[in-house]
Amino acid sequence: MNSEPESRNNILLALREILPEKYLLTAKEDLKPYECDGMPAYQRIPIAVALPSTIEEVQKIIRACESQRIPVVARGAGTGLSGGALPHEGGIILGLSRFNTIIDIDHENMTMRVQPGVRNLAISEAAAPYGLYYAPDPSSQIACTIGGNVAENAGGVHCLKYGLTVHNILEVKIITVEGDLVTLGSMTLDTPGYDLLALMTGSEGMLGIIVEVVVKLLPRPLATNVLMASFDAVEDAANAVAIVISKGIIPAGLEMMDNLAIKAAEDFANAGYPVDAEAILLCELDGAEEHLAEQVNIVMVALGEANASNVVMANSEQEKAQLWAGRKAAFPAVGRISPDYYCMDGTIPRKRIAEVLVEIKALSEKYGLRVANVFHAGDGNLHPLILFDAGIDGELEKAEHFGGDILELCVKMGGTITGEHGVGFEKLDQMCVQFNPDELTHFHNIKHAFDPYELLNPGKVIPTLHRCAEVGAMHVHNGELPHADIPRF
Amino acid sequence: MALNITPSSIVDRDISIELQQQVQSSIDLRSPLLIRGGDSKLFYGRDPVETSNILELKNHTGIINYDPTELVVTVRAGTRLLDLELLLEKNQQILSFEPPMFNQQSTIGGVVAAGISGPRRAFSGSIRDAILGVEMINGDGKIVKFGGEVMKNVAGYDMSRLMVRSMGTLGVILNLSLRVMPKPEKEISLILDATQGEGLAYCKQWRTQHLPLSATSWYRGKLYLRLSGSDITIDAALKKLSQQMSFEFLEDDIFFWQSIRNQQHAFFNKVSKPLWRLSLPINTPVMARFEGDLLLEGGGTQRWVSNNAAEKIIRAVVGRHGGYATLFNGQKHLPGVAPFPILAPELHKLQKNLKRKLDPQNIFNPGRLYRDI
Ligand SMILES: Cc1cc2nc3c(=O)[nH]c(=O)nc-3n(C[C@H](O)[C@H](O)[C@H](O)COP(=O)(O)OP(=O)(O)OC[C@H]3O[C@@H](n4cnc5c(N)ncnc54)[C@H](O)[C@@H]3O)c2cc1C
């Protein structure tokens, strides 16, 4: 085996043959911006950052890395919230930011072919002249890339009705670890063979490098409306979600905020939120005019049944935008009321929302850390924001434990540890809770079918059985680490 | 013939352990297994493996969890599609992908494994869009569970969707969770005269008009469309449509769409030649080579052709349009022809690697999808 500096030099030598100097970053200060993604708690410096702009360059880079067994971590915009694009110390970052061309807008087929570094919002902007848009709209859509969206199966406020990334793409081209260019999916509804497009979606850079994406476009809704319902009890707001759905209505978006989030957002965005309400629901409805009016009536009745203390309906485009402004600014708004926050991403069955919020509140008291809840209630995707101060010794660890407890609670309630932010590096331990060793082995088998030497984003998403054995042991001992002197990995 | 059966109550019977034992001994003996649900799609795909080692799923039945307000049902794979749909119907819900029921024994596990969706599919999504979770027996003989009952779940690789249209080659589906949808308040269907070209042009113009379309079909100079929604929505749609064309209401529309869905329509009954399913990009024009007997669905994205043309020609023409041709009833008419389109070599390699890793003893329906898969 090569010694570390030697393997470093060899790969740099190979990469210099492939890329012009300015697109191969190796200086400490140039590598620094790549040390973490949107989850700054984890940081590592890679050997180099390669910034190719053609498929051929990506193929050559991958082949060079494969032959020298150098790990490759793909990176889009680095907005991921689970450490998915966290570098590997012995590996390179493959940055796709220069793949930012819209290749083709086919408005007749209602599709757009784009490079992976194109930003999510740029797609809808380019489609707008044709009256079309791309439905998945993560809150990070100004910055995040479509390649990152596919890799994370990103969702957004409107995915309750319009689906996640996996429902809104037709085809991707990937580079395999061997450097082959392979097309997954097609422009038709039935692609032969296994559905590798679905498998690639949400695989977090572990199975291949996405170098091209074809997205589906939808006609812009004819009309939309936004309702805001206030509640005196969080449980009522939670139950309202199930009541609305039981009326046969699928809102375009159904979001919930609790009192702490309401207050923070109102302070920040002046959206007109009721700061004394225990919770609000924001409900967006869309459709043809007549259909919209009908839905509004049904939802109004449902909210009444659910004990809403007040319901406001937006009367203009401006009022709609204002109601959404608070929700959209909720994360930065919470950022203002606490030095740090930790965003969780569990999903639970809708009917369990009330119960889970109550338990989170109890945990909040136990840990002595505040929690603001602002989330995609319609599909049961929670985003508890745990407030803490990293400047205070031990608070980060406390927040992490608290977060872990929340995710385990989600699993216990029949849900999952991540709805849209991915496992990345952050939730490896919770994967041990959600999946047993046989299931993890199954995942490793999938990985090995694509990447036998574990060079693509190694050490993420699927924990080793060894790690889980240790986590299991930690659980048995109620968080008190057995053999605390043994190093853990 | 419309299916009009009273609900036989669904038997609650979990035989996972017996099934697992049979799989385990097949692994131990490296003896290929034929996984069998309701035998309703025996004709589809490559020939089933010749063996007496048959894994019968039909007795693994029951509803594990169904809460209509969650819009999810979790069911054992051997449960009949017929029974499941009757249960949903009672709760004013449907499977939005409208899978075919080629016989009444058709099981929901088989529906998922074959991955064939029906008329509603181009408008409200396919099986892979609706599946949320599976519990399965894998190539290690273990019972493993992926996904779940929630709408959003990105923990680990998406094994549930991978099982859709895998034709049982990656493992045995024991239980599965599906998203269900509210049943439309009302459905009506229209019929109008249109050449194939006019039919496609109508479908194209409707795509951006926000109509509550839930199915379209074209056959022999007639275009059929189904509207689904509330009274108000449908009235508004009718008003919009009447400004564009003249139409009549289709009587017996439930029967009509069922005949498309289950291939009991005259077009399918008359098929004495090979039946090809062409999957095409949505904006594909009239394909001159296939003006013979032809039935279109989903705004032209799916076209059925019965044609004696050589396989090569059919695949080449369809390929030029960016589509795929599947020989739907292959064994009967063209036993030598591979039913599924040939994959690009690098793609085939990935698929084969996956099969090898997940089914190392090659026991699950070997060769049903491709010769070596
Ligand atoms: C303020 C804020 C709000 C957010 N809101 C949402 C939200 O509403 N919904 C949501 O789903 N997410 C949200 N996110 C998370 C994040 O934006 C998404 O996960 C997004 O999809 C990541 O895209 P990216 O381009 O930044 O990817 P990165 O962070 O660069 O990478 C994410 C993962 O994808 C892999 N990857 C990236 N590009 C490729 C490629 N071309 N090929 C293969 N693998 C690749 C990386 O290796 C990594 O594992 C939010 C993040 C922030 C900071």
Side-chain angles (χ1 to χ4, degrees):
Chain A
M1 221 179 113
N2 285 346
S3 73
E4 232 175 78
E6 197 186 322
S7 74
R8 181 175 183 279
N9 287 340
N10 287 342
I11 190 66
L12 290 181
L13 220 58
L15 293 177
R16 283 199 186 103
E17 297 273 303
I18 302 167
L19 289 172
E21 212 181 310
K22 64 172 172 179
Y23 296 126
L24 183 67
L25 314 180
T26 53
K28 263 255 155 66
E29 65 274 17
D30 294 337
L31 297 177
K32 187 87 179 142
Y34 293 88
E35 68 183 356
C36 65
D37 60 4
M39 172 76 190
Y42 311 114
Q43 302 173 349
R44 285 179 194 156
I45 299 286
I47 295 180
V49 174
L51 300 170
S53 68
T54 67
I55 288 179
E56 294 70 33
E57 284 173 351
V58 175
Q59 288 178 300
K60 285 183 193 163
I61 295 169
I62 294 290
R63 287 192 184 121
C65 290
E66 203 247 4
S67 68
Q68 300 189 28
R69 304 281 186 265
I70 297 291
V72 179
V73 178
R75 181 181 172 107
T79 67
L81 291 173
S82 54
L86 174 72
H88 191 283
E89 277 134 351
I92 66 155
I93 287 281
L94 185 71
L96 292 141
S97 52
R98 292 175 67 221
F99 276 85
N100 58 0
T101 306
I102 290 176
I103 299 168
D104 178 39
I105 304 176
D106 183 349
H107 66 97
E108 301 222 307
N109 270 319
M110 304 211 288
T111 60
M112 196 185 299
R113 185 176 290 273
V114 299
Q115 291 190 325
V118 170
R119 288 172 306 111
N120 174 296
L121 188 61
I123 296 175
S124 285
E125 284 170 353
Y130 305 96
L132 302 171
Y133 78 114
Y134 175 63
D137 55 345
S139 314
S140 51
Q141 69 179 157
I142 320 173
C144 66
T145 66
I146 188 69
N149 289 172
V150 174
E152 298 284 8
N153 193 15
V157 164
H158 293 99
C159 62
L160 176 58
K161 182 163 177 181
Y162 295 103
L164 304 156
T165 304
V166 71
H167 302 108
N168 288 279
I169 56 175
L170 282 170
E171 182 187 298
V172 302
K173 287 200 164 91
I174 62 159
I175 304 296
T176 66
V177 77
E178 289 170 3
D180 290 338
L181 175 66
V182 186
T183 303
L184 312 180
S186 73
M187 305 303 286
T188 76
L189 298 181
D190 287 287
T191 306
Y194 297 135
D195 193 345
L196 299 190
L197 177 64
L199 187 64
M200 189 58 50
T201 310
S203 66
E204 303 194 38
M206 303 270 292
L207 304 181
I209 307 296
I210 298 154
V211 291
E212 201 172 293
V213 183
V214 178
V215 301
K216 289 187 210 171
L217 302 173
L218 296 178
R220 285 223 155 272
L222 283 183
T224 61
N225 215 331
V226 182
L227 304 178
M228 177 178 70
S230 319
F231 295 86
D232 295 333
V234 174
E235 289 82 348
D236 286 341
N239 294 332
V241 174
I243 297 180
V244 168
I245 304 279
S246 71
K247 304 286 177 192
I249 300 268
I250 310 283
L254 189 57
E255 299 283 304
M256 183 164 159
M257 293 168 76
D258 71 3
N259 181 264
L260 191 52
I262 296 169
K263 281 199 287 210
E266 182 57 21
D267 248 15
F268 187 71
N270 298 315
Y273 291 170
V275 290
D276 49 353
E278 280 305 310
I280 58 170
L281 277 184
L282 288 170
C283 177
E284 181 168 304
L285 299 164
D286 68 7
E289 292 286 353
E290 321 73 27
H291 183 41
L292 180 63
E294 192 180 19
Q295 291 181 73
V296 167
N297 288 338
I298 296 172
V299 172
M300 284 286 204
V301 172
L303 292 171
E305 258 175 56
N307 293 330
S309 56
N310 190 26
V311 183
V312 205
M313 184 166 77
N315 280 316
S316 63
E317 287 306 313
Q318 194 204 339
E319 283 181 29
K320 275 183 236 169
Q322 197 184 348
L323 284 179
W324 274 124
R327 165 64 184 90
K328 288 193 173 155
F331 285 22
V334 169
R336 291 203 323 169
I337 61 169
S338 169
D340 300 282
Y341 68 82
Y342 185 30
C343 173
M344 309 311 297
D345 173 45
T347 303
I348 49 166
R350 271 184 289 267
K351 63 180 169 203
R352 287 286 176 65
I353 293 175
E355 210 177 323
V356 168
L357 291 179
V358 169
E359 289 215 29
I360 290 179
K361 199 167 167 198
L363 285 169
S364 161
E365 276 154 24
K366 174 181 149 195
Y367 281 97
L369 295 174
R370 291 182 299 165
V371 180
N373 283 293
V374 38
F375 62 99
H376 313 302
D379 29 38
N381 186 192
L382 304 176
H383 287 326
L385 304 175
I386 301 171
L387 312 191
F388 70 100
D389 183 349
I392 300 175
D393 240 10
E395 278 226 335
L396 171 64
E397 291 70 27
K398 218 157 66 168
E400 283 181 338
H401 268 133
F402 183 0
D405 283 358
I406 293 179
L407 297 186
E408 287 168 28
L409 175 63
C410 291
V411 174
K412 202 175 83 188
M413 293 291 176
T416 174
I417 58 171
T418 172
E420 56 182 19
H421 295 167
V423 175
F425 185 71
E426 175 206 13
K427 298 183 201 81
L428 282 170
D429 287 346
Q430 282 77 37
M431 283 293 281
C432 309
V433 177
Q434 185 159 340
F435 296 100
N436 67 35
D438 293 336
E439 289 155 349
L440 295 170
T441 301
H442 190 104
F443 283 145
H444 285 299
N445 287 338
I446 294 178
K447 167 76 170 166
H448 292 153
F450 285 79
D451 180 15
Y453 303 111
E454 302 197 8
L455 297 174
L456 299 175
N457 214 1
K460 310 275 177 68
V461 184
I462 315 297
T464 60
L465 299 187
H466 185 97
R467 181 182 182 127
C468 288
E470 299 237 326
V471 172
M474 295 190 312
H475 275 270
V476 174
H477 293 82
N478 264 333
E480 276 170 47
L481 292 187
H483 312 294
D485 48 326
I486 297 177
R488 269 153 239 281
F489 42 90
Chain B
M1 144 216 62
L3 296 164
N4 188 11
I5 305 275
T6 42
S8 67
S9 57
I10 303 173
V11 179
D12 189 34
R13 187 167 35 206
D14 179 355
I15 58 165
S16 314
I17 300 304
E18 285 121 280
L19 293 169
Q20 186 187 18
Q21 281 162 354
Q22 193 179 342
V23 170
Q24 188 58 56
S25 68
S26 306
I27 292 173
D28 296 342
L29 302 167
R30 299 193 178 183
S31 159
L33 266 173
L34 190 160
I35 306 168
R36 180 146 81 192
D39 258 355
S40 73
K41 290 179 274 282
L42 212 52
F43 62 87
Y44 184 65
R46 288 170 47 88
D47 278 330
V49 57
E50 269 178 47
T51 177
S52 55
N53 189 13
I54 294 172
L55 191 74
E56 292 280 3
L57 267 292
K58 66 170 190 266
N59 292 326
H60 184 62
T61 57
I63 304 295
I64 296 172
N65 189 21
Y66 177 42
D67 180 346
T69 68
E70 292 288 320
L71 301 176
V72 177
V73 63
T74 297
V75 57
R76 292 198 183 95
T79 308
R80 295 192 310 167
L81 174 61
L82 179 68
D83 295 327
L84 175 61
E85 289 201 314
L86 286 169
L87 171 73
L88 297 177
E89 167 78 36
K90 275 198 230 157
N91 291 279
Q92 297 301 305
Q93 294 187 332
I94 57 168
L95 295 175
S96 55
F97 47 89
E98 229 177 353
M101 196 184 297
F102 292 133
N103 74 29
Q104 294 181 354
Q105 304 313 314
S106 176
T107 64
I108 191 67
V111 164
V112 169
I116 307 171
S117 303
R120 215 178 287 272
R121 179 269 182 89
F123 307 90
S124 50
S126 62
I127 300 174
R128 66 90 88 162
D129 295 324
I131 194 151
L132 299 172
V134 294
E135 189 161 353
M136 58 183 279
I137 309 173
N138 72 8
D140 297 333
K142 308 290 189 196
I143 295 182
V144 286
K145 197 173 166 180
F146 303 104
E149 298 191 324
V150 292
M151 302 288 150
K152 290 165 86 174
N153 190 347
V154 291
Y157 304 119
D158 196 342
M159 195 57 214
S160 321
R161 286 197 173 84
L162 194 57
M163 292 308 281
V164 178
R165 69 176 203 235
S166 67
M167 296 295 286
T169 60
L170 293 178
V172 181
I173 303 173
L174 287 175
N175 312 322
L176 53 105
S177 299
L178 293 167
R179 187 193 63 191
V180 299
M181 294 301 270
K183 183 181 172 195
E185 223 173 284
K186 183 174 168 182
E187 297 203 310
I188 63 159
S189 298
L190 313 179
I191 175 170
L192 58 135
D193 292 324
T195 63
Q196 194 195 151
E198 290 164 349
L200 287 171
Y202 276 128
C203 290
K204 179 177 168 187
Q205 91 192 33
W206 294 334
R207 279 204 286 275
T208 50
Q209 292 185 356
H210 297 275
L211 295 165
L213 279 179
S214 66
T216 66
S217 181
W218 179 91
Y219 180 63
R220 291 197 174 168
K222 302 271 185 215
L223 180 62
Y224 303 81
L225 60 149
R226 181 174 65 189
L227 301 168
S228 305
S230 65
D231 272 325
I232 297 177
T233 334
I234 288 181
D235 284 349
L238 289 175
K239 213 182 280 166
K240 233 189 244 178
L241 287 168
S242 61
Q243 289 159 6
Q244 302 172 39
M245 65 202 205
S246 53
F247 53 76
E248 283 170 38
F249 291 96
L250 177 66
E251 278 168 37
D252 241 352
D253 60 326
I254 294 179
F255 174 79
F256 175 80
W257 293 111
Q258 216 159 55
S259 77
I260 299 287
R261 170 185 174 182
N262 298 336
Q263 301 197 343
Q264 292 147 334
H265 184 276
F267 167 80
F268 297 100
N269 280 341
K270 275 213 311 280
V271 167
S272 53
K273 299 173 196 159
L275 175 67
W276 292 88
R277 183 186 67 196
L278 316 185
S279 300
L280 293 157
I282 55 176
N283 205 32
T284 308
V286 174
M287 296 169 68
R289 300 288 301 229
F290 303 120
E291 278 182 339
D293 214 15
L294 187 69
L295 187 142
L296 273 58
E297 282 189 81
T301 53
Q302 180 158 287
R303 304 182 192 186
W304 298 96
V305 200
S306 62
N307 196 316
N308 276 327
E311 175 208 2
K312 264 211 182 97
I313 295 182
I314 293 187
R315 294 222 151 109
V317 174
V318 173
R320 269 203 293 284
H321 286 277
Y324 296 98
T326 299
L327 179 60
F328 208 74
N329 60 356
Q331 295 154 38
K332 201 159 87 199
H333 295 284
L334 297 171
V337 171
F340 296 116
I342 293 162
L343 305 173
E346 303 79 21
L347 179 58
H348 191 96
K349 188 166 91 182
L350 280 184
Q351 307 226 347
K352 195 171 146 183
N353 286 351
L354 196 60
K355 166 77 173 171
R356 293 289 165 278
K357 283 288 172 194
L358 295 185
D359 180 17
Q361 304 304 338
N362 199 27
I363 57 156
F364 296 123
N365 280 359
R368 191 76 204 271
L369 204 48
Y370 289 97
R371 190 168 1 165
D372 53 356
I373 291 182

